[in-house]
Amino acid sequence: DKLPGLLHGMPKCELHIHIEGSLEPELIFALAQRNGVTIPYASVEALREAYAFTDLQSFLDIYYAGASVLLKEEDFFDMAMAYFHRAKADNVVHAELFFDPQTHTDRGVPFQTVIDGLTRAGETAQRELGVSSALIMCFLRHLSEEAAFETLAQAMPFKDRFIGVGLDSGERGNPPEKFARVFEQCRQLGLHLVAHAGEEGPAAYIETALDVLKVERIDHGVRCVESPALVERLAREQVPLTVCPLSNVKLCVFDTMDRHNLAALLEAGLKVTVNSDDPAYFGGYMNANFDATFDGLPQLGPRHAYVLARNSIEASFAAESAKAEWI
Ligand code: HPA
Ligand code: ZN
């Protein structure tokens, strides 16, 4: 069976990776020691054992606690470089990294510290690994519109360091419309726009992300199937969905991988991509996601692998000249 070799070897883009979600337990402990931060777990093993999630919020609580060890520019650099090495090993040629500045600025870490470390890692990855990348700044949707505007203001001196904005954190009760004005300002600034929608939230949030926020891609989006009219629209408009299969199973969006709707979404003609979301927490990086998806959904074959890789390149915000080289 040549499928694993094909899945692993094909050039691919990763479009849905929260860089704070790439922080492995070993690095959390190393950074805690380096920075003199105490964490409420006795060992790497004890921390990893706590990764038993029942829903999105149960994950977010641990994810924000893990990020508390990040204080210095070099911490952000080391975290991102560890990710880029994993990406390189999985034949990821280009990655668009989400980062959550509010998780850090709310702890007193300057915005500049965060973005300097991530920018230096991106430059180093290009130079030393040949991995291309870009940053997408996410607003935490459980916080206020005002806090999002403050974050945007803090980001303005570094506007050339990130290509777009996104929306993440707890979805239920925090609809896209809450951020209509801040996304409008970002649109006027010429930034790319994406948003998490339809992971735990209803199909209606996918519609308002498109119609009110005017996003170019939907992160997750798997609950679109609850509205046949929306599925038809997503297919017609070829709106990319950045689906994260291992994440969806870990956060109980689907009970098991064989219940995942990725194959059905592809079959319906949607522009689906495969991504890792928070690989340190959900059981693996890009190729682990491809392996688990193709194992769980045996109706998927080489033709689907090719389509998923091509979709990831086409749906990226990379230059057309770069895309042509990867396809
Ligand atoms: N959903 C919402 N917010 C997040 C996620 C996610 O999957 N990962 C990190 N922040
Ligand atoms: Zn996500």
Side-chain angles (χ1 to χ4, degrees):
D1 189 12
K2 297 206 271 300
L3 191 52
L6 173 67
L7 296 174
H8 296 183
M10 29 181 218
K12 51 184 82 73
C13 296
E14 173 145 54
L15 307 179
H16 188 158
I17 159 78
H18 302 263
I19 197 58
E20 295 90 348
S22 75
L23 201 49
E24 293 285 343
E26 289 79 3
L27 189 52
I28 290 178
F29 269 81
L31 295 181
Q33 189 154 41
R34 188 160 97 188
N35 289 330
V37 174
T38 50
I39 44 173
Y41 297 93
S43 64
V44 167
E45 292 70 32
L47 178 55
R48 200 168 257 123
E49 274 166 31
Y51 296 177
F53 311 118
T54 51
D55 60 6
L56 176 58
Q57 192 58 51
S58 67
F59 155 69
L60 291 171
D61 293 341
I62 286 199
Y63 163 81
Y64 295 130
S68 70
V69 301
L70 297 161
L71 295 180
K72 305 291 183 203
E73 189 261 11
E74 65 184 318
D75 304 337
F76 293 91
F77 174 82
D78 290 347
M79 170 175 68
M81 282 313 298
Y83 167 72
F84 285 126
H85 279 100
R86 302 281 201 144
K88 172 77 178 175
D90 285 358
N91 288 301
V92 171
V93 292
H94 172 78
E96 296 179 0
L97 274 52
F98 292 141
F99 70 111
D100 286 341
Q102 288 159 298
T103 298
H104 314 300
T105 54
D106 286 359
R107 298 180 290 114
V109 176
F111 188 96
Q112 178 159 12
T113 299
V114 179
I115 201 145
D116 278 353
L118 298 178
T119 304
R120 186 162 66 88
E123 291 165 354
T124 306
Q126 180 64 258
R127 192 172 63 245
E128 295 184 358
L129 304 174
V131 175
S132 150
S133 67
L135 295 172
I136 297 177
M137 176 173 81
C138 285
F139 301 112
L140 299 181
R141 69 201 301 159
H142 70 277
L143 300 178
S144 67
E145 178 197 41
E146 185 188 6
F149 270 117
E150 275 169 32
T151 299
L152 183 58
Q154 287 174 7
M156 276 303 94
F158 311 99
K159 189 187 164 296
D160 58 332
R161 309 258 206 112
F162 60 98
I163 62 163
V165 297
L167 189 62
D168 65 2
S169 190
E171 186 179 6
R172 286 200 183 111
N174 295 300
E177 310 82 279
K178 181 175 168 185
F179 298 93
R181 291 186 292 193
V182 73
F183 268 64
E184 175 57 23
Q185 184 162 325
C186 292
R187 201 167 68 85
Q188 308 247 334
L189 288 164
L191 290 162
H192 284 296
L193 308 177
V194 299
H196 284 53
E199 176 188 23
E200 275 194 354
Y205 286 15
I206 299 173
E207 289 174 334
T208 52
L210 292 170
D211 294 333
V212 180
L213 300 188
K214 305 196 188 304
V215 300
E216 299 159 79
R217 299 194 299 240
I218 296 287
D219 297 313
H220 293 293
V222 291
R223 284 190 60 188
C224 68
V225 293
E226 291 165 27
S227 166
L230 175 59
V231 171
E232 201 173 298
R233 174 188 180 182
L234 294 172
R236 189 174 59 244
E237 298 180 6
Q238 288 292 285
V239 177
L241 302 187
T242 63
V243 175
C244 305
L246 281 173
S247 165
N248 291 154
V249 174
K250 281 283 185 195
L251 299 187
C252 309
V253 174
F254 300 96
D255 291 338
T256 51
M257 195 61 86
D258 59 304
R259 307 283 287 272
H260 200 288
N261 65 11
L262 183 140
L265 297 174
L266 269 182
E267 199 56 41
L270 274 63
K271 199 172 189 72
V272 175
T273 64
V274 168
N275 306 272
S276 73
D277 207 5
D278 300 282
Y281 293 91
F282 297 151
Y285 292 77
M286 279 291 269
N287 286 353
N289 272 275
F290 274 97
D291 284 342
T293 304
F294 280 69
D295 280 346
L297 301 170
Q299 65 268 48
L300 296 177
R303 191 171 51 84
H304 302 96
Y306 174 78
V307 169
L308 288 165
R310 192 190 55 196
N311 284 352
S312 76
I313 294 166
E314 289 177 351
S316 80
F317 296 133
E320 292 303 322
S321 56
K323 293 186 188 187
E325 276 179 43
W326 299 327
I327 280 187

